[in-house]
Amino acid sequence: MNISPSLMTMDLDQFKEQITFLNDHVDSFHIDIMDGHFVPNLSLSPWFIEQTRKLTNKEMSAHLMVTDPSFWVQQLIDIRCEVICMPAERVNGIAFRLIDQIHDAGLKAGIVLNPETPVSEILPYIDLLDKVTVMTVDPGFAGQRFLVNMLDKITELRQLREEHGYQYRIEMDGSTNKKHWKVIHDAKPDIYVIGRSGLFNLADNIHSSWEMMVTEFEQETGQKFA
C-alpha cells in the first residue's frame, strides 16, 4: 500500500509528532499548493515543504492548484521537491516546456486531472509523465462529495500504460476513507492520497488514527494492508 498523506489536512498542533510517525509508515507526502484563484482557497507553500524536510527524507509530491504553474514550478525546483504535479487545465501551450524543465532538474513531472477533465486532454505528452493524479472530488477544499465515476479514469490510465509501456504512476486523490475504500481499491491506483476523513480525524493522535485506518481498510476490502 502506497499511502501519501495530504498534509493540508493534518493537525498542525501535532506537526512534528505526525510527520515523525508517518515517516516510518509512508513512501511520500502530498502537499497541496493553492493560490486562491485556480481554486477559492489558500493552502501550503514551498516554505512548508522546506520545513517538513527537516523532519523527513521521504518523497515530497506537490499538487499545484494554481493559475500560473510556471511561477510555482521554478520555486519547487529550487527547493528540490521530488515530484511536481501540475493542473492539466493550466498547462496547455507550455506542457512540454514545463515537463522538460522539471526533468532537466532531475525531478519528476506529474499532471492532475480534475473531475471534468478527460484523460484525452493529456495524451499529447502522457508518455513523458512520471505520475498522473485523478481527482475524485472537486478540488480546493477537504470533505467534498466523492465522485465515483472518476475511478473509470484510473482504469483507462492503467490500460494505456499497459498497451504503450508508459512509466507513470497512477494516483487518486479525494475522499479516501472507510465509506469508499472498497471501490477505490478495486480501481487499483498505485498511490492513495489520504487526508482528514480517512486518517487525521479518526483519533486524537496519529498512532491510533493509523491503526484505525488500517483496520477500516482491511474490514472494507477484505485484504491485508501491506
Side-chain angles (χ1 to χ4, degrees):
M1 291 291 297
N2 190 328
I3 299 293
S4 189
S6 175
L7 299 189
M8 178 183 76
T9 62
M10 71 186 301
D11 185 346
L12 293 179
D13 288 340
Q14 303 178 39
F15 175 78
K16 184 175 181 179
E17 176 187 352
Q18 291 178 342
I19 295 297
T20 301
F21 174 85
L22 291 170
N23 187 63
D24 295 328
H25 292 80
V26 304
D27 297 309
S28 65
F29 289 104
H30 184 91
I31 298 93
D32 292 302
I33 297 178
M34 309 177 193
D35 64 359
H37 299 285
F38 183 73
V39 291
N41 198 4
L42 293 168
S43 188
L44 307 179
S45 67
W47 177 86
F48 181 89
I49 295 174
E50 290 184 292
Q51 299 309 302
T52 306
R53 179 67 71 207
K54 297 176 181 179
L55 299 174
T56 178
N57 58 0
K58 294 299 174 70
E59 182 178 271
M60 299 285 180
S61 181
H63 173 186
L64 293 177
M65 287 174 261
V66 299
T67 56
D68 184 6
S70 299
F71 172 79
W72 295 93
V73 162
Q74 187 56 55
Q75 290 191 55
L76 292 165
I77 288 173
D78 290 342
I79 65 167
R80 308 301 297 167
C81 180
E82 288 87 350
V83 188
I84 303 172
C85 299
M86 303 167 289
E89 301 79 14
R90 290 291 178 174
V91 299
N92 188 31
I94 54 173
F96 288 96
R97 186 186 321 157
L98 290 177
I99 293 169
D100 287 347
Q101 184 180 352
I102 294 168
H103 284 163
D104 288 346
L107 304 171
K108 297 176 183 177
I111 284 289
V112 183
L113 295 170
N114 283 340
E116 297 85 356
T117 305
V119 172
S120 59
E121 184 80 10
I122 64 172
L123 289 181
Y125 51 84
I126 194 171
D127 59 312
L128 302 176
L129 298 174
D130 301 294
K131 181 159 75 171
V132 181
T133 301
V134 174
M135 293 299 299
T136 52
V137 298
D138 281 330
F141 294 90
Q144 298 298 299
R145 181 170 71 89
F146 182 69
L147 304 171
V148 65
N149 290 342
M150 297 305 106
L151 297 175
D152 293 341
K153 294 181 187 178
I154 296 175
T155 302
E156 182 179 357
L157 286 164
R158 194 171 59 251
Q159 291 174 343
L160 283 168
R161 184 172 63 185
E162 292 170 357
E163 291 172 4
H164 299 281
Y166 298 145
Q167 299 300 308
Y168 55 76
R169 304 187 77 191
I170 304 168
E171 178 178 78
M172 67 77 51
D173 181 3
S175 204
T176 310
N177 55 39
K178 179 179 180 179
K179 186 176 180 181
H180 308 123
W181 266 125
K182 181 66 167 62
V183 292
I184 292 171
H185 187 62
D186 287 348
K188 299 182 177 64
D190 302 310
I191 305 168
Y192 302 75
V193 175
I194 190 164
R196 186 173 299 158
S197 64
L199 176 61
F200 291 109
N201 269 12
L202 296 182
D204 60 4
N205 66 82
I206 190 60
H207 302 76
S208 298
S209 291
W210 184 269
E211 291 176 2
M212 290 181 66
M213 181 198 72
V214 171
T215 298
E216 289 181 353
F217 170 85
E218 293 181 345
Q219 288 177 343
E220 296 302 315
T221 65
Q223 303 290 320
K224 287 292 292 180
F225 184 95

